[in-house]
Amino acid sequence: MPAMAQTFDVCIRGAGIVGRTLALLLARERMRVALIAPPQRSQGAPRDVRAYALNLGSRAILESLRCWPDDEHATPVTGMDVFGDLDGRVQFDAASQDVDALAWIVDVPALEQRLAEAVRYQPLVEVVREPVDAPLTAVCEGRASSTRTEFGVAFSVTPYSQSAIATRLRCELPHGGIARQWFTPEGILALLPLAGHEVAVVWSLEQSLVPEWLHSDAQSFTTRLQAISQNTLGQLELIADRASWPLQQAVADRWCGAMAHETRHSWVLAGDAAHNVHPLAGQGLNLGLADVQALARILQERDPWRSTGNTRLLRQYERERKAALAPMGLAMDGLQQLFARPEVPVQRLRNWGMKGFERSGPLKSWMARQAMGLL
Ligand SMILES: Cc1cc2nc3c(=O)[nH]c(=O)nc-3n(C[C@H](O)[C@H](O)[C@H](O)COP(=O)(O)OP(=O)(O)OC[C@H]3O[C@@H](n4cnc5c(N)ncnc54)[C@H](O)[C@@H]3O)c2cc1C
């Protein structure tokens, strides 16, 4: 409908968690939003088995939109226990950081459903099938964004030779609200607490090993995870399908620009369309939600005569968010590389480093607060 086409302030391409959150944040500030979303998922589509570790910053954003899932689907993490591949070990706990929880493990389908419902009841968000004319196009299409490519934006990808297998387990012993991670030369295993005796699994391992563990029988799979996790949670039972994601570190070289066909109109990238980090610290979506919070704030604070496509504002967003991403990307990449090295001296060094870090009061506390989204 060409008459409607003039009425939007922002067109959002991609209705994942980041795109929907942006739509709701902008609509709350009285901006009119077109959100490109595909038709409803078909009944037979597989359920996303993932559960994300979301920090305090993400919780505040989602709560302010009334989209934070109920307690059954958002489990507080009261401690973290990270094991090296020798005797290295690092522990964090919520009490010593003076918070109720270090993070929450959030069921992905439950969160997606809350956001989809909120979008349905927000009259300033119109769900559309095709791009519409708007002063600003926000690209939230995830890591494989075709619009990013169409706009000629370079995406510098560092592929890891690893994929992550995700699934869920029921465990014999209580997890006690502790998120546990084991670094081994073969990969990194994370068991994240869910409601009751269940945990979400994120197992990042060498690509060549992935088909075997994706398709092995349930018994061999749980026996292997029990061995890596040193039987900490007792007998493990597989209770969901397994799915895998190839891992990469990536960043777009430009996060905003002018539209080729209409130079007064602009585009901007957010979430995984702009950056990917290794899931070992569970920060990808936290960064994406912080992106859209910053973008919505900058657009909301603009002078009334400036359009949402004002490039000065968008560059301010790009600078702010690239600065926040840099330390996180470097830390995740460094840790991943350090634990991927099989040589014995490197193994000793990393475990020695973990023990030093464990004793390093202020540095450890700074890292914890950074990961919690408090800095
Ligand atoms: C195994 C694993 C575990 C993870 N764990 C965590 C964690 O614990 N904590 C955390 O913070 N992060 C985690 N992440 C990262 C997190 O998954 C991503 O950062 C997050 O999903 C990015 O959201 P997004 O909305 O930007 O992109 P996506 O989730 O990829 O959504 C993009 C949306 O755009 C749509 N789309 C794509 N192309 C088009 C198009 N051309 N037109 C219209 N729509 C389009 C897609 O269908 C999709 O709906 C994990 C990632 C993996 C792989």
Side-chain angles (χ1 to χ4, degrees):
M1 270 197 302
M4 283 291 290
Q6 300 304 318
T7 65
F8 294 109
D9 294 304
V10 181
C11 174
I12 300 174
R13 299 196 188 186
I17 296 173
V18 170
R20 285 187 203 271
T21 303
L22 177 61
L24 293 167
L25 289 171
L26 297 177
R28 190 171 66 185
E29 303 305 338
R30 314 304 304 157
M31 283 176 249
R32 290 149 304 172
V33 179
L35 175 67
I36 304 183
Q40 283 291 328
R41 275 156 60 97
S42 67
Q43 290 292 321
R47 194 176 189 276
D48 196 327
V49 291
R50 287 176 297 176
Y52 294 150
L54 296 188
N55 64 23
L56 208 57
S58 296
R59 179 178 175 144
I61 297 168
L62 293 165
E63 252 176 357
S64 77
L65 296 170
R66 298 174 190 275
C67 290
W68 186 250
D70 55 26
D71 292 351
E72 175 78 7
H73 297 104
T75 307
V77 176
T78 51
M80 278 185 67
D81 211 347
V82 183
F83 301 84
D85 51 352
L86 277 179
D87 51 353
R89 186 169 177 182
V90 176
Q91 289 171 295
F92 295 96
D93 71 276
S96 62
Q97 299 302 324
D98 231 6
V99 289
D100 293 334
L102 295 168
W104 288 264
I105 307 302
V106 174
D107 180 69
V108 171
L111 174 58
E112 285 174 341
Q113 197 188 342
R114 293 298 300 256
L115 287 163
E117 264 164 36
V119 164
R120 228 181 346 268
Y121 290 109
Q122 172 47 268
L124 290 176
V125 180
E126 189 173 327
V127 174
V128 297
R129 300 275 172 259
E130 298 289 330
V132 300
D133 192 47
L136 178 61
T137 293
V139 181
C140 305
E141 293 175 352
R143 67 195 318 195
S145 168
S146 57
T147 302
R148 186 186 60 220
T149 313
E150 186 192 311
F151 291 169
V153 182
F155 198 51
S156 318
V157 178
T158 312
Y160 296 121
S161 57
Q162 292 187 333
S163 284
I165 295 180
T167 186
R168 300 202 181 183
L169 302 170
R170 186 172 297 114
C171 24
E172 183 191 2
L173 303 175
H175 51 59
I178 310 290
R180 297 178 172 86
Q181 230 171 7
W182 288 266
F183 282 76
T184 71
E186 138 196 49
I188 305 157
L189 172 67
L191 299 183
L192 310 171
L194 297 172
H197 271 228
E198 294 181 7
V199 291
V201 176
V202 184
W203 189 16
S204 313
L205 75 176
E206 281 305 311
Q207 230 127 39
S208 57
L209 301 172
V210 170
E212 176 191 348
W213 291 115
L214 210 47
H215 304 294
S216 68
D217 62 279
Q219 181 66 50
S220 321
F221 183 75
T222 51
T223 303
R224 181 74 198 119
L225 296 197
Q226 248 172 262
I228 297 174
S229 60
Q230 298 149 8
N231 272 314
T232 308
L233 296 175
Q235 287 284 333
L236 303 175
E237 182 196 347
L238 189 64
I239 54 166
D241 290 337
R242 282 163 274 180
S244 74
W245 285 262
L247 301 181
Q248 63 183 34
Q249 165 116 339
V251 63
D253 68 342
R254 288 179 298 140
W255 291 26
C256 62
M259 295 289 253
H261 70 283
E262 163 55 285
T263 47
R264 283 170 308 159
H265 287 193
S266 305
W267 55 266
V268 66
L269 304 181
D272 271 23
H275 47 72
N276 305 156
V277 294
H278 195 290
L280 75 87
Q283 287 300 329
L285 182 59
N286 288 308
L287 288 165
L289 291 174
D291 289 347
V292 291
Q293 182 183 43
L295 181 59
R297 191 197 73 239
I298 288 169
L299 292 179
Q300 188 261 323
E301 287 172 358
R302 76 189 190 281
D303 299 317
W305 46 270
R306 281 191 207 272
S307 122
T308 49
N310 183 290
T311 42
R312 230 182 65 178
L313 296 177
L314 300 175
R315 280 199 215 100
Q316 181 190 338
Y317 157 78
E318 174 172 354
R319 274 194 307 275
E320 196 176 302
R321 293 309 302 154
K322 273 188 172 167
L325 173 70
M328 194 63 74
L330 275 177
M332 293 311 103
D333 192 46
L335 267 176
Q336 196 288 136
Q337 308 269 8
L338 189 62
F339 276 88
R341 302 270 304 268
E343 304 91 304
V344 172
V346 182
Q347 188 187 37
R348 286 208 191 103
L349 181 69
R350 64 193 169 223
N351 284 277
W352 172 79
M354 283 179 89
K355 286 188 277 182
F357 179 78
E358 174 63 8
R359 290 190 298 266
S360 72
L363 173 64
K364 192 177 149 189
S365 185
W366 180 85
M367 273 292 278
R369 298 190 83 72
Q370 175 92 16
M372 283 189 283
L374 292 175
L375 294 178

